[in-house]
Amino acid sequence: MPTTVADQLVRGLVDAGVQRIYGIVGDSLNPVVDAVRRTGGSAKGGIDWIHVRHEEAAAFAASADAQTTGTLAVCAGSCGPGNLHLINGLYDAHRSGAPVLAIASHIPSSEIGSGYFQETHPDRLFGECSLYNEFISTAEQAPRVFRAAINAAITGGGVSVLTLPGDIAELSSAGQMDPIAIPAVPVVTPPAADIEKLAEAINSAEKVAIFAGYGVKDAHDEVIAFADTIGAPVGHSLRGKEFIQYDNPYDVGMTGCSATGLRMRGSTTPICSSCSAPTFRTSSSYPRTSRPRRSTSIRRSWDVGHRCSTRFTVTSVPR
């Protein structure tokens, strides 16, 4: 059983499959770093501490780790400017839908509100770049919040921030943290009626284009085959670029919030089949000046029409 609150947090991260924490050792973060040391490193089933030159690099490294592996990644910063430096990388992770947990250690809990050396309010600072952001004030509270933060980052696809004062981190743990259950990605198949409606729209259209976003991840060959079948050009968003542009004879460039290569093409296409992904952080979208007249979307999301109007949508999560 974990002996301290910090041990409890680190044990929860191990159970969630975390093998690395990126950060810089320092003052209020020491109890967490020592708990990482006691795990023996990833070679022994624990966690490696990856030292960086600057906390900003730690957050960007965690974001890249999460996006590359598809698993939870962790970064950490000490109190005051230490964790404040994480903010750029956390914005990147959150907007990219990367599951990242940030540990923001804090000044002694008895000094909060006194204007203490390097005092900030991490629980306020990270509100815009996180989907879960909580302050740990007691050992009794910690297990439930740790588990909630881990689950939120994994299942929500975004950033969780834990503000943990150093003196709370070294307290003896109270109670046990429930096991971390990581759900598998569901396979969502659209109703046959929706598929028939989509086929009818494509077959009756004078022109058809495919706009591929992050939702085409792991479906490159299927989208190319679809384009070949209906004779459609394939444009892509910035986040869809790495998954669809290669080995693609139908590629016509990138557009959306970044780049303008498809503006004229998109604006004159009656039917645009859009393959996008969850929420604004990863959606395929058109600039306001280049929206197609009618858009039929195939989406891996229930949050539709965020940036462009759609005539109807077909929601699917393959494999």
Side-chain angles (χ1 to χ4, degrees):
M1 180 179 175
T3 57
T4 68
V5 170
D7 286 320
Q8 198 167 50
L9 170 59
V10 172
R11 175 46 54 190
L13 296 176
V14 171
D15 291 344
V18 173
Q19 296 184 327
R20 295 167 293 278
I21 296 179
Y22 302 91
I24 297 178
V25 176
D27 51 73
S28 57
L29 194 57
N30 286 340
V32 173
V33 177
D34 200 37
V36 172
R37 177 189 63 81
R38 288 194 289 271
T39 67
S42 61
K44 297 182 179 180
I47 294 177
D48 295 326
W49 180 268
I50 309 299
H51 181 74
V52 295
R53 295 285 297 273
H54 192 280
E55 289 87 352
E56 182 178 63
F60 275 114
S63 177
D65 188 328
Q67 293 180 66
T68 302
T69 65
T71 60
L72 181 67
V74 182
C75 58
S78 57
C79 65
N83 61 60
L84 184 58
H85 290 156
L86 297 172
I87 198 162
N88 279 341
L90 294 185
Y91 262 103
D92 174 79
H94 192 56
R95 292 294 178 90
S96 299
V100 170
L101 175 72
I103 303 170
S105 67
H106 201 22
I107 63 173
S109 57
S110 61
E111 299 293 343
I112 294 173
S114 68
Y116 190 77
F117 174 66
Q118 294 189 336
E119 180 177 5
T120 59
H121 294 88
D123 51 317
R124 303 178 193 172
L125 290 169
F126 297 109
E128 278 195 3
C129 60
S130 63
L131 48 81
Y132 187 90
N133 178 24
E134 288 296 339
F135 178 91
I136 307 296
S137 57
T138 68
E140 290 75 17
Q141 171 204 13
R144 188 172 183 179
V145 174
F146 291 161
R147 185 174 183 275
I150 293 170
N151 280 339
I154 294 173
T155 61
V159 173
S160 287
V161 180
L162 290 172
T163 300
L164 180 62
D167 60 314
I168 302 297
E170 61 186 2
L171 290 176
S172 296
S173 59
Q176 296 184 358
M177 186 164 71
D178 292 336
I180 303 295
I182 301 176
V185 177
V187 174
V188 178
T189 302
D194 285 359
I195 297 177
E196 291 175 3
K197 188 176 181 181
L198 173 63
E200 290 173 3
I202 292 173
N203 290 335
S204 63
E206 179 183 352
K207 297 179 182 179
V208 179
I210 295 173
F211 187 52
Y214 186 77
V216 301
K217 181 181 180 182
D218 301 324
H220 173 277
D221 293 347
E222 290 84 349
V223 175
I224 300 303
F226 179 46
D228 181 67
T229 299
I230 64 176
V234 180
H236 55 267
S237 68
L238 177 63
R239 295 212 66 217
K241 178 182 175 71
E242 64 180 298
F243 305 116
I244 198 64
Q245 187 178 39
Y246 70 93
D247 295 334
N248 181 356
Y250 305 101
D251 180 64
V252 292
M254 182 170 72
T255 191
C257 289
S258 297
T260 57
L262 293 180
R263 285 196 175 194
M264 293 306 295
R265 297 182 185 91
S267 63
T268 58
T269 302
I271 293 290
C272 185
S273 179
S274 172
C275 307
S276 63
T279 76
F280 76 93
R281 296 190 301 276
T282 54
S283 66
S284 300
S285 56
Y286 302 93
R288 296 183 63 86
T289 56
S290 62
R291 293 175 179 173
R293 291 196 298 271
R294 291 182 294 166
S295 177
T296 298
S297 295
I298 308 169
R299 300 186 175 225
R300 296 176 60 182
S301 173
W302 286 263
D303 176 18
V304 297
H306 181 76
R307 287 199 178 96
C308 64
S309 60
T310 57
R311 202 171 67 168
F312 65 88
T313 63
V314 179
T315 301
S316 174
V317 180
R319 290 195 288 273

